[in-house]
Amino acid sequence: MTSPDRPRKRRRISRKGARRWPPSALTAREAAFGDTHAGRSPSVRRTSGRKTNTYLPPPRASCRRSSSRKPVPPACSRRTSAREMASILMRRVSVSALVIGLGGASGMSFASAAVPKQESAFKQLSVKLKAIANLGRLSALAEWDQLVMMPDSESASDDRGDMLATLAAVIHERSTEAELGALIARAEAEALADERDLANVRLARRDFDMMTKIPAELAERKAKLASSAYASWAKARPANDFKSFSPMLAECFAVAAEVARYTRTDEAELYDVALNEFESGMTAARCEVLFAEVQAVLKPLIAKVLASPHQPSGAALSGSFGTEAQVALNTQIVRDLGFEQGRIDVSVHPFTTSFSPADVRITSRFRADEWYQGLAGSIHEAGHAMYESALGRTGMPVDTALSMGVHESQSLFWERHVGLSRAFWKYAGGKMRTGLGLTASDEELYGATNAVSQSLIRVEADELTYPMHVVMRFELERALLRGEMKVEELPARWNARMKELLAVDVPDDRRGCLQDVHWSGLAIGYFPTYLLGAIMAAQLEHHMRLQMPDLDAKIEAGDFAPIRHWLNEKVHAQGSVPKSMDELLVRAVGEPLKTEYFLKYLKDKYTDLYHLD
């Protein structure tokens, strides 16, 4: 049993590129960055035509859909930001030959990017930012087509890679041009009163500085390393050969530290810089406090749950299930939840793509012998999609998701707090029995989908044990980036920490420190967003219940509209006006991120399910 975990792609949230969320999976689901927060379900990748929020493994540089194919040039890697690819791409494509019509009110060609001189600096800046966003959306459209519709051939993949490389080069050129920097400076000097306008200028400054601070040589070196390190990891993992991968991994952390030093401003440590690529405004010190609180409560709770004589059966999840029946059932459920108009397709790895709030698309995948992975992935992706659909349609930086953790909170809210609730199975149980021929009762379905077990593999972990996997990875990557431990020490430190946190013995590095793709793609600082999103989701549910005491009754009746409207008002409508998850929560519920609601949710739920004293 599994739930969508995502690296919703690596790298800081650049308002200029397309966004895609967790990558894929190495095995059926872990391979490319595919995680599952709740630990139960296929990995995912998500892309947005506006900004890059999730890390995508470098191997997909040529965006090939078959993991058996050889790694391709980093130019097309979704995980590599446009700025990182630029120096490589500029030698491969003729940017000057590309002229793209923007359409819309301006009707201008992007190549000229002319703006009326009599307009204010902010209005001129807006024209340029929207143009860059439109190019990012075109890139996202090309990627979606590649993953869902394009013929699965080497030549088609290579041709599409060239197209994406050209777009990436143009986006980089326009995102770093001197005229854009000058407009940002002029807009900063204007007397803007609206907080959304001020936020747009602030975000434009942040992204411009980030893209221009890193030397071209370092950007090119990082892009090449991301590709070669992935290839090294992909070879070492199945062979259980950490020793061969170790030098490359050490270089990944060294380059990540070098990049952080160039882009560092007032952060207390380099890890804060890496973390802020994915979770704006968060610090390592804050994570350390939050995660210590989680660890202190969950470690003894997990032990009690595993020792309980009342273990729910997972038999209801297995059997023989047709793909068409699963697709029809999942479509009905996500439509009921509120993803009413967007496309729903089948792909190898689930992902969400947003070209604009009016055009958001999701995919999921299905197994013939188990139905819950497909359903969990569909609900998870629908959560991401409903967030994207509720954002403003201006095409400006402020109308993008705030961070990876916030995005995860939305997918996890629907997947866990709705989809794993007892009330949900009272709503969905009959549908499962009719659509898939199941015989299990609503209560048996609730127990099966919430069963707890010890797992060596993060993406296969349940929602109770999953946080411990994140805590450990946060500790280890922070120590590596700070130079407090050597890469050669990683296997032993990993195995010892797994024993301490989850009481499991790691038999080999393949199922230990080699299992995740993130570090090979330099996605250092990404792991904490999984747990931060889970904590935020529980906090939102707590406050929703205060204002909606009949929440369970609404879920049971399939009345999800009030839930969507609450989230739209409290979270989605804010876009990226807040500077951090904490600020968003203060605006939404009157307090910053706290672990108490997350811990109470887990304690209450599993004490009841496992009949603990």
Side-chain angles (χ1 to χ4, degrees):
M1 190 166 56
T2 63
S3 92
D5 187 28
R6 45 232 66 271
R8 260 175 223 33
K9 340 162 129 314
R10 165 200 194 244
R11 80 201 106 154
R12 107 190 235 73
I13 305 176
S14 160
R15 264 70 185 177
K16 318 261 191 324
R19 167 174 46 265
R20 161 186 326 216
W21 303 86
S24 57
L26 200 67
T27 64
R29 48 191 200 168
E30 25 165 317
F33 225 59
D35 300 357
T36 58
H37 313 272
R40 334 173 99 89
S41 120
S43 62
V44 222
R45 153 179 5 221
R46 163 180 357 279
T47 67
S48 154
R50 279 187 303 254
K51 75 182 180 187
T52 311
N53 268 342
T54 314
Y55 160 79
L56 228 66
R60 297 196 65 84
S62 80
C63 306
R64 305 210 170 132
R65 286 183 284 186
S66 170
S67 59
S68 63
R69 297 175 183 172
K70 62 183 180 180
V72 283
C76 179
S77 168
R78 280 312 301 149
R79 114 138 261 308
T80 305
S81 66
R83 73 170 178 274
E84 295 167 336
M85 301 185 218
S87 56
I88 297 176
L89 303 177
M90 291 297 189
R91 294 190 304 215
R92 296 179 49 195
V93 299
S94 174
V95 180
S96 60
L98 182 64
V99 177
I100 300 178
L102 293 180
S106 68
M108 296 178 289
S109 86
F110 185 79
S112 63
V115 292
K117 296 303 181 181
Q118 69 274 18
E119 297 283 0
S120 69
F122 177 74
K123 289 185 178 180
Q124 294 181 56
L125 175 63
S126 297
V127 171
K128 285 186 172 291
L129 293 178
K130 289 177 182 180
I132 294 169
N134 285 338
L135 287 177
R137 289 170 172 177
L138 287 174
S139 179
L141 179 61
E143 288 189 71
W144 176 87
D145 176 78
Q146 179 175 26
L147 294 168
V148 178
M149 305 297 293
M150 192 182 79
D152 189 10
S153 71
E154 189 94 9
S155 56
S157 182
D158 288 342
D159 289 346
R160 184 58 53 88
D162 286 341
M163 299 175 200
L164 289 169
T166 300
L167 277 174
V170 173
I171 292 171
H172 177 270
E173 179 185 41
R174 294 306 177 184
S175 298
T176 58
E177 63 181 2
E179 184 180 354
L180 180 64
L183 279 176
I184 294 173
R186 288 170 53 200
E188 289 172 327
E190 290 181 337
L192 300 175
D194 185 271
E195 70 170 353
R196 288 172 54 84
D197 292 345
L198 291 168
N200 276 318
V201 175
R202 167 175 56 82
L203 295 167
R205 165 60 65 193
R206 183 190 69 178
D207 293 338
F208 182 80
D209 287 349
M210 285 292 297
M211 297 183 76
T212 55
K213 282 183 177 179
I214 301 175
E217 179 277 329
L218 176 57
E220 179 174 359
R221 180 154 46 92
K222 182 182 177 183
K224 289 181 177 179
L225 176 61
S227 183
S228 58
Y230 173 83
S232 175
W233 170 79
K235 181 179 180 180
R237 185 180 184 276
N240 190 38
D241 185 8
F242 179 79
K243 185 176 181 181
S244 67
F245 177 59
S246 180
M248 193 70 74
L249 181 60
E251 187 176 355
C252 287
F253 274 90
V255 169
E258 188 175 355
V259 170
R261 282 190 285 271
Y262 272 104
T263 58
R264 186 176 186 176
T265 54
D266 59 352
E267 292 87 355
E269 59 176 281
L270 291 183
Y271 188 83
D272 289 347
V273 182
L275 178 60
N276 268 265
E277 287 203 31
F278 311 104
E279 197 56 49
S280 177
M282 185 56 64
T283 66
R286 181 87 191 289
C287 286
E288 186 175 21
V289 172
L290 294 171
F291 294 175
E293 294 171 356
V294 170
Q295 181 182 331
V297 173
L298 293 196
K299 186 175 180 180
L301 178 60
I302 292 170
K304 290 180 180 179
V305 164
L306 294 175
S308 172
H310 304 283
Q311 298 289 324
S313 171
L317 305 181
S318 302
S320 179
F321 312 103
T323 297
E324 289 187 7
Q326 292 187 67
V327 171
L329 180 61
N330 284 19
T331 299
Q332 177 187 357
I333 289 175
V334 299
R335 295 302 191 204
D336 286 351
L337 294 179
F339 184 57
E340 299 172 342
Q341 297 180 334
R343 286 185 61 100
I344 303 174
D345 294 281
V346 178
S347 65
V348 176
H349 305 296
F351 64 92
T352 296
T353 300
S354 174
F355 307 118
S356 78
D359 185 4
V360 183
R361 310 176 188 186
I362 69 172
T363 72
S364 193
R365 67 174 183 180
F366 305 93
R367 287 172 46 178
D369 62 344
E370 198 269 4
W371 56 266
Y372 182 66
Q373 287 191 31
L375 179 60
S378 296
I379 295 175
H380 190 103
E381 295 311 317
H384 285 301
M386 286 187 280
Y387 184 11
E388 289 289 332
S389 297
L391 295 169
R393 297 184 60 187
T394 65
M396 293 288 281
V398 75
D399 285 320
T400 56
L402 178 62
S403 70
M404 294 304 304
V406 173
H407 227 305
E408 285 310 302
S409 78
Q410 299 308 285
S411 58
L412 290 179
F413 181 94
W414 288 99
E415 178 197 340
R416 292 183 179 180
H417 297 277
V418 175
L420 284 178
S421 69
R422 183 176 270 113
F424 178 82
W425 291 110
K426 292 179 181 179
Y427 148 80
K431 294 177 172 57
M432 307 304 297
R433 288 185 285 273
T434 300
L436 298 182
L438 302 182
T439 59
S441 67
D442 297 346
E443 186 64 23
E444 288 171 332
L445 291 173
Y446 172 68
T449 54
N450 284 285
V452 176
S453 63
Q454 294 162 298
S455 174
L456 291 166
I457 308 301
R458 174 181 56 84
V459 297
E460 296 175 359
D462 52 80
E463 71 169 341
L464 183 62
T465 60
Y466 187 87
M468 307 302 257
H469 288 269
V470 176
V471 169
M472 180 187 70
R473 286 160 174 78
F474 160 70
E475 295 171 346
L476 294 177
E477 69 177 7
R478 185 186 184 194
L480 285 167
L481 194 65
R482 298 169 74 176
E484 296 173 349
M485 65 176 284
K486 297 179 180 179
V487 166
E488 292 76 14
E489 302 174 59
L490 181 60
R493 293 278 291 272
W494 181 290
N495 298 349
R497 201 69 177 110
M498 282 291 288
K499 185 70 172 179
E500 293 171 3
L501 294 176
L502 292 171
V504 295
D505 294 310
V506 180
D508 52 53
D509 293 335
R510 179 175 64 85
R511 286 171 287 183
C513 61
L514 282 174
Q515 67 182 264
D516 299 303
V517 69
H518 304 53
W519 292 337
S520 69
L522 285 81
I524 297 159
Y526 192 99
F527 283 120
T529 66
Y530 296 138
L531 185 47
L532 294 171
I535 295 170
M536 178 175 170
Q539 191 163 350
L540 291 173
E541 188 215 6
H542 168 81
H543 286 279
M544 181 183 289
R545 286 187 181 279
L546 294 179
Q547 300 176 31
M548 204 182 298
D550 60 343
L551 177 60
D552 288 333
K554 290 186 186 316
I555 294 174
E556 183 176 344
D559 182 14
F560 301 109
I563 301 174
R564 293 197 309 275
H565 296 159
W566 192 93
L567 291 172
N568 289 346
E569 176 189 349
K570 301 294 184 179
V571 179
H572 308 161
Q574 296 195 50
S576 287
V577 171
K579 296 179 181 179
S580 66
M581 177 186 288
D582 278 334
E583 184 178 329
L584 183 152
L585 282 169
V586 169
R587 288 167 171 252
V589 299
E591 61 183 9
L593 189 68
K594 295 182 178 180
T595 62
E596 61 181 277
Y597 310 112
F598 176 63
L599 297 175
K600 185 179 187 301
Y601 159 74
L602 293 175
K603 285 190 293 183
D604 290 352
K605 178 177 183 176
Y606 289 97
T607 294
D608 171 68
L609 181 60
Y610 281 82
H611 302 268
L612 304 180
D613 295 331

